Amino acid sequence: MSKLWGGRFAGGLDPFFEAFNRSLPFDRRMVDEDLVGSAAWARALGRAGVLTAAEVKKLEKALATLRKRVAADPGLCERAADEDVHSFVERELGELVGTLAKKLHTGRSRNDQVATDLRLWMKRCVGDLDLAMAGLQRALVALAAKTSDLPVPGYTHLQRAQPVTAGHHALAYAEMLDRDRGRVADALRRMDRSPLGCGALAGTAFPVDRKALAEDLGFGGPTRNSLDTVSDRDHVAEVLFACSLTMVHLSRLAEDWIFLGTFESRLVRFADAVATGSSLMPQKKNPDALELIRGKCGRIAGHLQALLMTMKGLPLAYDKDLQEDKEGLFDALDQTTACVRVMTTVVETTEYDVERCRAAAATGYLNATDLADLLVLAGVPFRDAHERVGIAVRTAIEHGCELEDLPTDVLTDLMPEIPAASLRRELSVERVLARRKVFGGTAPSRVRAEVKAWQKRLPEAEPKKRGRR
Ligand code: ARG
């Protein structure tokens, strides 16, 4: 396979190194961007007086033909033996327009070309992730609407702490996803600058109007420093971080529900659609979807670490190390988007066991704080109230019952300030939840208001897919 840089070389490449050096097997995902970027570059060269109008037209036409061919037959790219996607496009172009193809690379380097391709690709494909995340948020909000008043145990240290509503728990994850989406949008905003015209490292020597070129490619403007531009992969790191943190959030939801789905808890049931069985133990039903999501988190955080280590100490400007930026990014975006989609199905199909949830939220002294609060309302300083409720819990453990089930004389003895009947009423899980109607709290009324706010914020129907890959 002839090379874009053969002239200086007398000898051929070692075949093992040649394969090692190739990036076409993965950078072909950016072939559409390479073709679009090449057409824009041809127009820029036309405006700079380097190519004639007729030459630009011919190149544009051939690039459009190639674009159609590649879209119709992805195998064209897969079968090719070229070094990278840029070599592939140039060779194919040569087959369509002959020597004119050799003029296209005037004043351009693969360094500003690949930087442009990658930004264009991300601008197109990161939208898929955002759409998936919005879908998961909608599923969580729908779950919250169904479970706005369902009590479940809330945990700290994995010990039962206070009752919360299942809806409140679902919306906690909708909040995390909102921050995740904000991070993705932020990364997109920052990467919206066009590298083309920066050349290999010093800027092209031809009078290219980079602003017009940036506009042609749909960028907000051109980048400002050629050295920085050809070696900058901050946007890749930012997207990898956004993916990593999204995965951390998904893995926490996975873990929460795996725990609630254990035989010991049995507070949620997974649908057959997202569980698998055991090849040996006929009774098993395992939460594989959630376990895979939890597991993949490590791989994606690994891609972020890999890029940061690749960038560390990398001298300006372009170095071939940067070719290592793509596989991790592609995998992270593929996997994160897939995980978000699978999680959406899990959220849509998982069911809370209402009876067991109610019973669990009412067992284990989850209302002890409320008893202390009631004493405070009766004039007892909180520290003293805490101490006395601690003693009450110990007494209840000895009796083998909940606080509200202590015999009336014992209850009156421990809490003379409050009549036993009103204590029992106020300690019910419904009252405990209803009291937490503070902004951000778990009360059913508050969760219902939050669900409404979310429904307003999240557009109902969105097209399934914005980008293509
Ligand atoms: N395949 C290369 C990459 O992904 C393209 C740029 C190559 N540039 C060069 N000077 N060798 O980074």
Side-chain angles (χ1 to χ4, degrees):
M1 183 56 55
S2 77
K3 297 283 182 292
L4 297 179
W5 37 262
R8 192 228 175 280
F9 289 76
L13 277 184
D14 168 72
F16 192 77
F17 170 66
E18 177 155 26
F20 177 82
N21 184 50
R22 284 183 76 220
S23 54
L24 185 63
F26 50 90
D27 66 14
R28 60 182 154 81
R29 282 177 75 150
M30 309 186 304
V31 66
D32 199 55
E33 284 69 27
D34 204 74
L35 290 161
V36 168
S38 293
W41 183 243
R43 287 189 287 275
L45 287 179
R47 285 191 295 271
V50 179
L51 296 178
T52 67
E55 286 173 326
V56 174
K57 242 201 168 129
K58 204 166 165 196
L59 282 170
E60 278 185 308
K61 208 173 146 219
L63 287 164
T65 305
L66 199 48
R67 220 180 150 191
K68 267 189 227 140
R69 273 194 204 165
V70 166
D73 176 19
L76 195 63
C77 236
E78 281 160 32
R79 289 187 300 268
D82 304 277
E83 178 180 330
D84 54 27
V85 68
H86 326 295
S87 318
F88 166 81
V89 167
E90 195 167 317
R91 182 186 50 72
E92 288 283 337
L93 197 59
E95 283 173 26
L96 287 172
V97 297
T99 51
L100 176 58
K102 297 185 186 176
K103 291 191 174 183
L104 178 61
H105 209 53
T106 311
R108 185 175 68 165
S109 159
R110 281 182 294 167
N111 299 353
D112 56 350
Q113 195 178 353
V114 74
T116 306
D117 291 1
L118 193 55
R119 286 183 193 230
L120 285 174
W121 185 88
M122 283 166 85
K123 280 179 64 175
R124 178 164 64 89
C125 293
V126 166
D128 278 356
L129 174 61
D130 185 65
L131 274 184
M133 293 199 286
L136 177 53
Q137 281 183 310
R138 272 193 295 277
L140 287 163
V141 170
L143 176 63
K146 275 194 298 195
T147 57
S148 61
D149 55 3
L150 175 63
V152 289
Y155 298 83
T156 60
H157 312 267
L158 262 194
Q159 301 288 329
R160 284 191 190 176
Q162 292 178 337
V164 294
T165 48
H168 196 50
H169 179 267
L171 291 186
Y173 286 97
E175 290 289 338
M176 291 177 224
L177 280 162
D178 215 45
R179 295 195 294 274
D180 294 330
R181 292 182 66 193
R183 270 180 282 274
V184 170
D186 194 39
L188 278 174
R189 246 191 318 278
R190 238 188 316 278
M191 81 175 79
D192 191 25
R193 287 283 172 272
S194 168
L196 217 48
C198 283
L201 73 166
T204 185
F206 294 93
V208 165
D209 180 348
R210 289 193 59 218
K211 279 195 181 144
L213 176 54
E215 200 174 313
D216 189 358
L217 282 170
F219 282 107
T223 56
R224 299 191 72 95
N225 181 300
S226 61
L227 284 172
D228 173 40
T229 301
V230 295
S231 65
D232 170 26
R233 294 295 183 273
D234 288 5
H235 41 293
V236 180
E238 287 186 27
V239 168
L240 284 175
F241 177 70
C243 288
S244 298
L245 199 48
T246 303
M247 288 303 300
V248 166
H249 294 149
L250 295 191
S251 80
R252 294 185 70 176
L253 176 54
E255 176 57 21
D256 274 356
W257 274 359
I258 288 168
F259 172 70
L260 294 187
T262 58
F263 185 81
E264 285 68 21
S265 302
R266 270 175 291 155
L267 298 185
V268 298
R269 277 186 302 266
F270 305 115
D272 288 359
V274 289
T276 67
S278 158
S279 61
L280 177 72
M281 300 166 281
Q283 86 285 9
K284 289 297 293 286
K285 181 171 172 186
N286 300 323
D288 293 41
L290 293 175
E291 288 170 343
L292 265 175
I293 289 170
R294 190 177 58 183
K296 282 176 192 283
C297 180
R299 161 175 169 184
I300 289 156
H303 291 320
L304 170 63
Q305 292 309 313
L307 180 74
L308 293 176
M309 290 307 99
T310 297
M311 299 303 295
K312 180 200 169 291
L314 203 63
L316 287 185
Y318 179 87
D319 304 271
K320 194 61 171 271
D321 314 41
L322 290 170
Q323 181 164 293
E324 286 294 302
D325 61 355
K326 286 171 220 50
E327 285 166 287
L329 171 71
F330 295 159
D331 185 61
L333 275 171
D334 288 348
Q335 293 295 325
T336 306
T337 308
C339 287
V340 172
R341 293 208 171 115
V342 170
M343 187 58 100
T344 305
T345 308
V346 175
V347 170
E348 284 166 350
T349 57
T350 295
E351 278 176 5
Y352 279 94
D353 183 321
V354 172
E355 286 319 305
R356 287 186 60 84
C357 283
R358 279 188 197 291
T363 321
Y365 313 109
L366 283 86
N367 52 7
T369 310
D370 287 67
L371 179 52
D373 290 350
L374 290 169
L375 286 176
V376 166
L377 289 177
V380 181
F382 180 73
R383 257 318 129 221
D384 296 338
H386 188 288
E387 176 75 13
R388 281 171 55 190
V389 175
I391 293 167
V393 168
R394 206 156 14 104
T395 311
I397 291 172
E398 281 160 18
H399 278 75
C401 68
E402 291 299 309
L403 288 167
E404 60 276 24
D405 298 328
L406 279 167
T408 304
D409 57 325
V410 179
L411 210 50
T412 314
D413 214 34
L414 286 164
M415 320 282 159
E417 293 85 352
I418 312 168
S422 101
L423 264 187
R424 291 201 171 101
R425 190 174 57 248
E426 292 305 322
L427 288 178
S428 73
V429 72
E430 286 73 24
R431 292 290 304 138
V432 170
L433 287 174
R435 269 194 289 274
R436 282 163 176 80
K437 55 182 188 291
V438 66
F439 186 76
T442 195
S445 59
R446 178 61 65 189
V447 173
R448 281 193 293 273
E450 282 300 304
V451 165
K452 275 213 183 97
W454 273 110
Q455 284 166 340
K456 246 197 223 154
R457 268 168 70 190
L458 289 172
E460 211 22 75
E462 279 181 276
K464 263 258 174 294
K465 247 177 165 227
R466 193 183 292 151
R468 284 171 296 121
R469 287 187 217 193

